Amino acid sequence: MAVNKTIKYLLFFFNFLFWVSGCIILGVSIYLKVSKDGNVVTGEALPGVDLMIAIGVIIMLLGFLGCCGAIRENRCLLLLFFISLLLIFIMLLAAGIVAAVFKEKVTDWTKERLNDLVPLQDQKDEIKTDVQKLEAELKCCGLAKGPEDWGSAIPSSCHCNDTSQPCKTIAGHMVYTTPCSTLIIRVLEDNMVVVLGIAFAIAILLIFGMAFAMTLYCQIGKKEGPTTA
């Protein structure tokens, strides 16, 4: 029995797209990591970038593995590819359920990590500099409670240069009153739906990939005969 060429090249095309998506995830993740400029605060609040880099590398390797298995019609590679996709699908499904169910706990965890840096005046100069960069960018002040996180030494990064933002006068200066943790968590919540949507789309692709891989695996087995492993 001849192997269905349509299934073979569909699987190859799928794996090529899979490999390209891995490259994109890896590239975007590296960009996000570099764009942090080594900021300790954003590293504490958004630790998932390293995980995204690892996922990108894994997807690239699996895409290459699937392409080789499809073109060479190698049953071992196809079976390994199928099992790998199945494991990723299960982990992705579990992660999506956890993210949806424990959304509030993720928010609380982020707050706790940022609260560990308060009071800010007692932190190292490196952390103070990173916080001030974040304040200037997000137009906020402090991490947990607001300007009070700095004690009496409120930096110029907290000075209110945008009157459309909530501000108040402290020690003769108008300063932002919104703590940066509020804005960071708002960004996380706004993007949570997007992340879940992307995860759902990847899960659908994984299902198609597993279906193509197993179909080609079975067809190669029928062509080679029952005695071939």
Side-chain angles (χ1 to χ4, degrees), residues 161-222:
N161 300 317
D162 186 352
T163 55
S164 65
Q165 302 297 323
C167 302
K168 68 179 180 180
T169 302
I170 298 179
H173 295 285
M174 288 288 291
V175 298
Y176 297 115
T177 58
T178 305
C180 294
S181 61
T182 300
L183 300 180
I184 293 174
I185 290 171
R186 187 179 301 167
V187 171
L188 289 175
E189 291 176 344
D190 290 343
N191 289 289
M192 183 65 73
V193 176
V194 177
V195 171
L196 291 176
I198 293 174
F200 179 77
I202 293 176
I204 297 298
L205 288 176
L206 291 176
I207 292 174
F208 278 106
M210 287 187 289
F212 289 144
M214 186 51 62
T215 301
L216 186 58
Y217 175 86
C218 293
Q219 288 188 358
I220 293 173
K222 291 179 181 179

Side-chain angles (χ1 to χ4, degrees), residues 5-19 63-64 66-72 78 81 212-213 216:
K5 297 297 182 181
T6 302
I7 297 295
K8 174 180 176 179
Y9 289 112
L10 274 176
L11 180 60
F12 176 82
F13 180 70
F14 167 84
N15 282 291
F16 177 74
L17 292 179
F18 202 56
W19 180 82
F64 179 76
C67 285
C68 292
I71 290 299
R72 298 179 60 184
L78 288 173
F81 177 71
F212 289 144
L216 186 58

